[in-house]
């Protein structure tokens, strides 16, 4: 199993540009989440999904959209990038059958200039 | 979401010394999970505690959940350079979306 994969690893955007961060998992986990990590702030939840077709907002959802058309994929869209969205983004998946242990992807480091 | 407070923010120890990080909440926690993140890496699950007063051990690591389920601790005995990283506690809200503390960064000097 590849686990949780994320692409790209690094990205530089200009203010106002849009892009999609990709996340995929091959463990058939029902739950998937997106977090952002900023220095001294820990990890903050952006959006999460409890299954295909079902998503909900986390602590910091503004400026981001998600969709979950399949169990495997959970892309995160930045609609109009802002410098405040410069961060490291982690995708994670979990399953009730695994005690909700979160499996994290390797992360995407995003810089918005 | 409710705040999970974690202290200290940083800890610098000599190899062989012990290390403890604490996680506190003003309200009762349904559970607590602990993660380790190596520099430049991603968080990796260590353990989950669910029961009041629960104590679990993994080699040199001891995890405790308070009797009132409002605090938790991670203790490392005789630190090694491989213990370097940031340790996070998190409550699993509804089981699948985590509310993280801000983490404790551990630096171990040989």
């Amino acid at each position: 199993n590849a686990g949780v994969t994320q692409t790209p690893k690094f990205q530089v955007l200009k203010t106002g540009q849009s892009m999609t961060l990709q996340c995929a998992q091959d463990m058939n986990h029902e739950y998937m989440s997106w977090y952002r990590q900023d220095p001294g702030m820990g990890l903050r939840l952006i959006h999460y999904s409890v299954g295909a077709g079902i998503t909900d907002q986390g602590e910091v959802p503004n400026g981001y959209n998600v969709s979950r058309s399949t169990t495997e994929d959970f892309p995160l869209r930045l609609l109009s990038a802002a410098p405040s969205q410069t961060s490291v983004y982690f995708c994670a998946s979990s399953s009730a059958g695994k005690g909700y242990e979160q499996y994290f992807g390797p992360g995407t480091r995003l810089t918005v200039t | 979401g409710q705040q999970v407070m974690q202290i200290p923010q940083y800890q610098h120890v000599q190899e062989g010394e012990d290390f403890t990080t604490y996680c506190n909440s003003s309200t009762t926690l349904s559970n607590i999970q602990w993660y380790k993140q190596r520099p430049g890496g991603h968080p990796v699950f260590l353990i989950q505690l669910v029961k009041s007063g629960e104590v679990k051990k993994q080699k040199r690591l001891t995890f405790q959940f308070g009797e009132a389920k409002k605090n938790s601790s991670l203790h490392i005995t005789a630190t090694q350079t491989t213990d370097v990283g940031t340790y996070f506690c998190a409550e699993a809200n509804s089981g699948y979306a985590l509310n993280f503390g801000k983490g404790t960064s551990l630096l171990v000097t040989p």
Side-chain angles (χ1 to χ4, degrees):
Chain A
N1 285 352
V4 179
T5 57
Q6 291 183 240
T7 56
K9 283 186 167 49
F10 301 93
Q11 183 72 49
V12 179
L13 290 178
K14 293 189 189 306
T15 297
Q17 287 184 318
S18 63
M19 79 159 295
T20 299
L21 308 186
Q22 301 292 343
C23 174
Q25 53 98 3
D26 62 358
M27 297 173 283
N28 201 32
H29 285 174
E30 60 269 38
Y31 308 119
M32 296 186 75
S33 307
W34 276 102
Y35 298 87
R36 61 177 287 173
Q37 184 173 34
D38 303 294
M41 296 295 293
L43 291 101
R44 292 181 292 171
L45 182 65
I46 305 172
H47 286 283
Y48 63 95
S49 168
V50 300
I54 306 170
T55 64
D56 206 346
Q57 296 180 352
E59 180 186 355
V60 288
N62 291 343
Y64 308 95
N65 269 1
V66 292
S67 61
R68 184 120 178 253
S69 55
T70 66
T71 299
E72 294 78 20
D73 300 299
F74 191 43
L76 178 72
R77 296 183 193 83
L78 279 69
L79 308 172
S80 177
S84 61
Q85 294 179 303
T86 293
S87 188
V88 180
Y89 292 85
F90 289 101
C91 178
S93 72
S94 62
S95 172
K98 292 268 191 180
Y100 302 110
E101 169 186 343
Q102 299 255 326
Y103 292 78
F104 283 83
T108 294
R109 185 174 295 274
L110 175 68
T111 301
V112 183
T113 60
Chain B
Q2 68 182 45
Q3 280 281 53
V4 177
M5 307 301 293
Q6 201 171 344
I7 55 171
Q9 189 174 2
Y10 303 99
Q11 186 81 55
H12 182 183
V13 301
Q14 295 286 324
E15 191 172 23
E17 292 181 336
D18 292 356
F19 160 76
T20 304
T21 175
Y22 300 90
C23 190
N24 299 302
S25 172
S26 58
T27 58
T28 303
L29 298 164
S30 55
N31 53 67
I32 201 82
Q33 295 184 357
W34 285 93
Y35 290 79
K36 176 183 179 181
Q37 184 178 25
R38 295 182 186 274
H42 59 275
V44 175
F45 176 83
L46 294 175
I47 210 156
Q48 175 167 271
L49 305 173
V50 177
K51 299 176 184 175
S52 168
E54 191 168 15
V55 178
K56 289 188 176 180
K57 294 189 176 185
Q58 290 179 350
K59 297 182 180 178
R60 295 178 295 103
L61 277 60
T62 301
F63 304 85
Q64 294 190 357
F65 203 7
E67 293 290 341
K69 298 182 73 174
K70 289 186 176 181
N71 56 75
S72 181
S73 65
L74 159 59
H75 180 80
I76 302 178
T77 302
T79 54
Q80 301 175 357
T81 55
T82 54
D83 296 324
V84 165
T86 301
Y87 293 84
F88 293 98
C89 62
E91 182 186 22
N93 294 321
S94 304
Y96 41 75
L98 300 184
N99 181 24
F100 279 87
K102 294 184 178 180
T104 296
S105 293
L106 173 64
L107 179 61
V108 181
T109 306

